[in-house]
């Protein structure tokens, strides 16, 4: 069984040579076409944690609270010591800004080759709760003389609490003239984009390859996404459905790669507070798989000697092999490096499980090419190009 994923789409390697005529440079003095990468952000240093948390709990789109302007700073202050320790444990801060800037740089390098008529393309980062905030980014764009910009959400699956909040903030700041006179368009969701699906598939196959061949097809794939309060889900937010479509697309793609048809489940992480959130929680799913594996072993112990021999291999795997996939994140940050790697993987080890965490998208060449293709298609549809 091959363990290296190869897509049928030539772009998926991200290493192809551009076709003839794509290397013409932009006209001198032309203002850049801005690609603004929108995301939640994260504190780059431990000292920025309180600032980040205060902004986060102050956002009524994400967490509606009574008397929010008074309660948010109080909640942030109470949570700061615990969260500071978590960021210290992953190296002293979130890498999300570094990864987002590098993703943007690599994407725009490809865009200049693929779309010379709209070049030069320049990436900007606009975080909702951490620096650089949207207002800072718009000021930078104004100084650069930007006249055309694409707001490109880095939440592939749309939610009013994440993408909606970032777009609302962008609209508020732009309406005040922060960025000058700019023609805007928006990429607000891309849950089923072929390149995104290819990138996830490639990283899952790499994780599966870490298991012995005879156990590889039996490993359970847990797709873990950031949860939402049920109050948001029940009002019709599309996020849960869109995450599920990404999972379904990835599993169909996996089935086309050497016939991977592993058992899988979509689970949810990062619940905050006592209210009801979308479940099953990732931690509970891991514990549940461990219990199922233990139950299989007990049943096996009660079988005849012949049955034991026939099923020994199955029981040795049980439900104890797991691939953990961060399906709604485009780079590493606290939810992957601390929650998945330090909490859930360790919890699985203590339960006798082998958990391999699929790498995050980060600077995967397949993912970078997917971003560039998505923006290319968007520019053609909005600019009337070929």
């Amino acid at each position: 069984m091959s363990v290296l994923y190869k897509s049928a789409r030539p772009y998926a390697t991200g290493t192809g040579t551009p076709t003839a005529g794509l290397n013409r440079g932009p006209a001198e003095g032309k203002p850049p076409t801005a690609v603004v990468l929108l995301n939640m952000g994260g504190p780059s240093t431990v000292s920025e944690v309180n600032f980040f948390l205060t902004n986060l709990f102050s956002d009524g789109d994400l967490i509606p609270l009574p008397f929010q302007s008074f309660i948010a700073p109080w909640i942030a202050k109470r949570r700061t010591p615990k969260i500071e320790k978590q960021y210290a444990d992953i190296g002293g801060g979130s890498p999300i800004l570094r990864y987002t800037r590098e993703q943007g740089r690599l994407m725009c390098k490809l865009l200049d080759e693929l779309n010379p008529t709209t070049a030069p393309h320049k990436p900007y980062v606009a975080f909702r709760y951490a620096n650089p905030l949207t207002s800072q980014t718009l000021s930078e764009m104004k100084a650069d003389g930007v006249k055309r910009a694409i707001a490109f959400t880095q939440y592939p699956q749309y939610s009013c609490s994440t993408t909606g909040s970032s777009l609302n903030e962008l609209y508020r700041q732009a309406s005040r003239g922060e960025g000058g006179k700019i023609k805007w368009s928006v990429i607000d969701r891309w849950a089923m984009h072929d390149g995104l699906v290819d990138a996830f598939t490639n990283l899952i196959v790499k994780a599966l390859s870490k298991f012995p061949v005879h156990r590889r097809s039996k490993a359970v794939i847990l797709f873990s996404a950031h949860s939402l309060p049920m109050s948001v889900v029940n009002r019709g937010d599309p996020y849960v459905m869109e995450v599920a479509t990404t999972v379904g697309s990835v599993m169909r793609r996996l089935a086309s790669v050497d016939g991977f048809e592993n058992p899988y489940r979509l689970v949810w992480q990062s619940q905050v507070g006592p209210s009801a959130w979308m479940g099953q929680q990732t931690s509970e799913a891991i514990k549940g798989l461990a219990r199922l594996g233990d139950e299989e072993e007990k049943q096996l112990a009660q079988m005849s000697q012949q049955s034991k021999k026939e099923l020994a291999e199955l029981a040795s795997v049980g439900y104890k092999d797991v691939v953990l996939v961060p399906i709604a994140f485009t780079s590493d940050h606290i939810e992957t490096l601390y929650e998945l790697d330090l909490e859930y993987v360790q919890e699985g080890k203590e339960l006798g499980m082998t958990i391999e965490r699929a790498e995050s998208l980060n600077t995967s060449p397949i993912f970078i090419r997917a971003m560039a293709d998505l923006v290319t298609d968007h520019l053609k549809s909005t600019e009337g190009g070929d």
Side-chain angles (χ1 to χ4, degrees):
M1 179 184 292
S2 170
V3 298
L4 294 178
Y5 172 70
K6 293 183 179 179
S7 170
R9 281 163 295 283
Y11 69 71
T13 62
T15 58
T17 302
T19 56
L22 292 185
N23 290 315
R24 294 169 296 180
E28 279 203 38
K30 183 180 176 183
T33 298
V35 185
V36 184
L37 304 179
L38 305 176
N39 210 329
M40 180 181 293
S44 296
T45 63
V46 172
S47 64
E48 297 173 52
V49 168
N50 183 258
F51 174 78
F52 170 77
L53 291 177
T54 301
N55 288 336
L56 186 145
F57 286 109
S58 297
D59 181 10
D61 288 328
L62 180 69
I63 306 173
L65 296 170
F67 308 105
Q68 191 137 14
S69 61
F70 298 100
I71 292 178
W74 178 77
I75 297 174
K77 184 177 180 180
R78 281 176 58 95
R79 291 183 60 83
T80 291
K82 176 182 176 181
I83 305 303
E84 283 181 337
K85 183 179 184 308
Q86 292 180 1
Y87 278 103
D89 287 345
I90 64 168
S94 172
I96 190 171
L97 178 57
R98 172 168 53 87
Y99 278 123
T100 305
R101 282 177 169 162
E102 185 64 3
Q103 288 167 340
R105 185 189 71 80
L106 294 170
M107 173 192 65
C108 284
K109 183 179 179 181
L110 273 175
L111 284 172
D112 285 348
E113 298 176 342
L114 295 168
N115 305 283
T117 58
T118 54
H121 303 87
K122 183 173 179 179
Y124 296 84
V125 176
F127 283 159
R128 186 66 182 86
Y129 311 118
N131 293 320
L133 295 171
T134 304
S135 57
Q136 297 170 285
T137 300
L138 288 174
S139 295
E140 182 185 353
M141 293 167 63
K142 186 175 183 178
D144 289 345
V146 171
K147 303 300 180 186
R148 175 73 174 93
I150 301 164
F152 186 7
T153 173
Q154 294 307 289
Y155 313 103
Q157 302 92 2
Y158 183 93
S159 171
C160 61
S161 299
T162 52
T163 304
S165 177
S166 287
L167 291 176
N168 285 342
E169 178 66 7
L170 178 61
Y171 177 79
R172 284 190 292 266
Q173 297 294 337
S175 296
R176 296 171 187 157
E178 291 288 344
K181 293 183 178 180
I182 297 175
K183 176 186 175 184
W184 286 94
S185 60
V186 176
I187 300 172
D188 66 352
R189 65 189 73 200
W190 38 300
M192 295 178 66
H193 188 270
D194 280 342
L196 178 71
V197 173
D198 280 343
F200 277 127
T201 302
N202 178 66
L203 295 171
I204 292 169
V205 172
K206 284 176 64 177
L208 286 168
S209 72
K210 296 177 182 178
F211 292 100
V213 174
H214 71 282
R215 291 163 52 185
R216 201 167 292 160
S217 64
K218 301 180 182 71
V220 178
I221 302 174
L222 288 184
F223 293 94
S224 188
H226 200 296
S227 188
L228 275 184
M230 288 306 299
S231 59
V232 176
V233 176
N234 290 337
R235 72 186 184 210
D237 191 281
Y239 172 74
V240 171
M241 179 186 68
E242 294 198 9
V243 174
T245 63
T246 304
V247 170
S249 298
V250 170
M251 289 307 301
R252 285 190 292 274
R253 192 66 50 81
L254 277 169
S256 71
V257 182
D258 293 336
F260 282 106
E261 294 184 349
N262 295 62
Y264 70 97
R265 175 174 289 179
L266 172 56
V267 292
W268 307 89
Q269 66 180 89
S270 309
Q271 176 175 331
V272 178
S275 62
W277 284 58
M278 187 66 194
Q280 184 182 31
Q281 290 292 303
T282 305
S283 177
E284 293 304 313
I286 291 170
K287 293 174 185 175
L289 288 172
R291 286 194 296 269
L292 287 172
D294 291 340
E295 187 61 32
E296 278 201 357
E297 290 175 359
K298 290 178 183 177
Q299 292 176 3
L300 186 61
Q302 298 170 1
M303 292 180 179
S304 67
Q305 192 64 35
Q306 182 61 32
S307 296
K308 286 182 181 180
K309 185 176 180 180
E310 292 173 353
L311 296 177
E313 182 178 313
L314 177 61
S316 68
V317 178
Y319 293 95
K320 299 284 182 84
D321 289 344
V322 172
V323 172
L324 200 53
V325 183
I327 195 64
F329 307 117
T330 55
S331 72
D332 276 319
H333 53 302
I334 191 74
E335 282 87 352
T336 60
L337 298 176
Y338 186 87
E339 197 170 353
L340 295 186
D341 292 351
L342 298 186
E343 289 189 334
Y344 300 155
V345 172
Q346 182 59 36
E347 188 175 74
K349 287 180 180 177
E350 292 172 0
L351 293 169
M353 304 173 75
T354 301
I355 300 181
E356 294 291 347
R357 206 263 282 177
E359 295 174 21
S360 296
L361 295 170
N362 293 335
T363 55
S364 153
I366 301 176
F367 178 61
I368 299 301
R369 185 59 194 253
M371 293 175 68
D373 285 342
L374 192 59
V375 175
T376 294
D377 291 342
H378 179 81
L379 283 169
K380 288 179 178 178
S381 67
T382 57
E383 304 297 318
D386 295 329

